Amino acid sequence: MDRRDFIKMLGLAGTSAAAYAACSTYMQEALAQSTVIDDLLSAASHCQLGSLKDIDHIIILMQENRSFDHYYGTLRGVRGFGDPRPLRLRSGESVFNQPKGAPTLAGNYIKPFQARRGTESAGDYAASDFGLAHSYNDGLKAVGSGWNDQWIAAKGDGAMVHFDTAKDLSYYHKLIEAFTICDGYHCSVPAGTSPNRSHFWSGTAKGLPVNTYFDGSKDSAIKPDWKTYPEYLQDLKIDWKFYQNGLNDLGINAGAFTGDFEDNTVIYFKQFWNDRTSEIFKRCATPNTILRTDPDKPSDFENDVASGKLPAVSWIVAPTAFCEHPASVSPHFGEYYTNEILRVLAANPDVWKKTVFILNYDENDGFFDHVAPPMPPLPAQKDVGKVSAGIVIPQTQDVKNVDAECVVRDTSGGWAAVTDQIKPMGIGTRVPCIIVSPWTVGGRVCSELFDHTSTLRFLDTWLAAKGLHAEGTIFGNISSWRRAICGDMTSAFDFTRKLDTVAEEGKDKLDLVVAAAKPVPAYLTPAQQEALKANLPKYASRTADIAIDLAKETRDKQEKTQVELLPLGYDFNVYASITEKDGTAGTFRLTFRNKGKIGTALNVYSYVKADANRGAWFYALEKPGKDGVPVTLADDYDLGSRAGKYEFAVHGPGGYLSEFRGDANNAGQKQIAEIVNVTASTDSTGVRFDFGEWPGANGDLTMINAYTTETATIAAKTASIASATKDGWYDVAFIDKAGTGYLRRYAGHLENGYIGKSDPAIGLKYDQINRVYVGVTA
């Protein structure tokens, strides 16, 4: 089939199985033969030093319902299935071993398993058909008050299905090897499409976590009515456009291969839906085609790019057949759609050189992801955490308050009824995000915490750089909590790189790619090009035949290759102290200190028996002010009710982990000084631990470096001790030689402002007895 026949057949594919299969085959062949990524890299090789001001066009395609681990858990360099510091559940199991029964009982669990067709039946797994629950109630249940341990109870066994990125998503794998993926990007709400897309286009969902408030509001007198970002651009006289082949609810080119799957949430806002004569409604609701409907006529997107009329900001809404929604279409339809967009840009290199393309996903459907999302510590829930002074968490569920990060409507069906329960609105599960631009070349990973409001923050920062609004402007609907902990995506870009220019006559395209992306991506070899063609996805629209993955350990699934890691503004840590009351344990205090250029969110977990039935604590710290004074937050945990025993783990962005364990009533432990500061050496090749006042003369501590296996004895009155890092990564434990169970552990990545390498411990097992990574090499 050639391109002309394919375009003609699209009109039949929705009703004819044979036509659908033929279109699927054509797309697989087209992707295998595509040189679009190579062409983009070639053009990008001429874009060297730059800044946000050099970007003229931002294009965002939001696809449907995939979690990060579901798509990219096997990908090299990201925090995926090989995460060396995964959350430990109350049962003692890794978060990858999801309980099928009580969350505190070990042994009855299911691990992530790989999707396959044409293999033996997987019994009960086949019934899931990948059409999983993905509403607010089950989404909130899955994350289990922060424990992230109720995926099977909330979603079913099918939640644990995943793809092999290199084999099953070969085009996206190739795209990621060329550009940048974000492995800290979360959806905004643990819920469905519309509240997430509302955050994407307006910065909030006003505490309304159900789809029916948005796409269902077309038939209701009650409609969302707050300001959207397209309106803000309109106020600034910034050109913007929606690209969509049709709109189902308006009866415009409705259908699987043309309609919008009701994903254009903006048109349901009151100011648009109720006044269809307004210019802004027309701009939101006008079909502007991405895919050709006539073989001989370029699409509207093709025409705009070729004629220099591509707007400053473009949002793309894919038809149902190409939106990647599970149980509707296989992923390679989305890969083809993405390739078509990039093909147009590659054909117009002068436009491409000034363009950013962002591919993200509205929500995770019912698919598991192992990174527990941060949540706002709502005051009405009591004892669930704290925020620093500059972050506002309202006491009441006032829908008019932009900072009200809580649910304000009942989610059981009566969406207009106010609920008495106060539940957190976000953040949701991790979802994929790939950024394609001349300044994201290199196959890199960005690990900063983002959510859908980060795309608006990126637009805000970009507009300020272009002088189109005031520096520091943040779209007014975004809560102070999200503003503090979610970045603006600029960390995913490298405007300082200087490339080797290949200008000699006779050099082929491969040389240009080498100049643009070092080292040479493996996919450029002829043998692997053939392998690429052989390993394209072979999924039909509904994939029910899946098989149990027999990998011995989940961590073995992930590719071990290190890649470049983009620098971030994080510089935070957590410190412990114990106070006595009447000679016995009184309180255990955690002090959170942020010295970085960006804010942070931290989840705290307790493993003592007294806390078996409670959730996590959630903490958020904004970045320091202009005076540079670190932002500090402290919380106390009563030790009397815990019989003096404590065991806390603190998880943060970028693989951060600190652990504190001990018995405050143990005489030997009472003589040990606490660590009061953790600092990096100038070049981040070492990390130093400073001790406070030693209460006694018993220096009974051993330091163990998990990355290097280095050990050292710490004598009483020691002021500080240093240990080496590995590629800027550290994991250092302090234990007492008496074996009483005392532990202080600090792990994470030291930021120095330079591009580094991804975690070398990915795929390795942490030995909790010897405190080293099994298989680590010096």
Side-chain angles (χ1 to χ4, degrees), residues 306-358:
S307 64
K309 295 181 180 179
L310 182 68
V313 180
S314 303
W315 287 284
I316 298 177
V317 183
T320 304
F322 295 95
C323 74
E324 301 181 47
H325 194 292
S328 296
V329 65
S330 62
H332 77 259
F333 276 66
E335 290 181 300
Y336 176 82
Y337 192 77
T338 297
N339 183 70
E340 284 297 284
I341 295 166
L342 296 178
R343 179 184 61 80
V344 175
L345 294 175
N348 297 271
D350 288 338
V351 176
W352 153 244
K353 292 175 187 177
K354 306 173 187 176
T355 298
V356 170
F357 173 73
I358 300 174

Side-chain angles (χ1 to χ4, degrees), residues 400-416:
K400 296 181 181 180
N401 191 331
V402 68
D403 285 308
E405 280 288 350
C406 55
V407 170
V408 298
R409 301 286 180 183
D410 180 72
T411 62
S412 61
W415 60 268

Side-chain angles (χ1 to χ4, degrees), residues 5 50 61 95 138 181 208 221 225 228 236 304 428 444 481 519 529 538 544 640 677 688 763 769:
D5 292 334
L61 168 63
V95 67
D138 52 78
I181 186 168
L208 302 160
D225 60 0
T228 64
L236 293 176
D304 287 349
R444 294 165 175 166
W481 177 69
Q529 285 286 0
K538 299 178 177 63
N677 199 26
R688 190 186 75 208
I769 297 176

Side-chain angles (χ1 to χ4, degrees), residues 171 242 459 558 574 657-658 685 688 711:
Y171 180 82
F242 275 55
L459 292 173
Q558 187 172 359
V574 185
L657 171 65
S658 56
T685 59
R688 190 186 75 208
T711 62

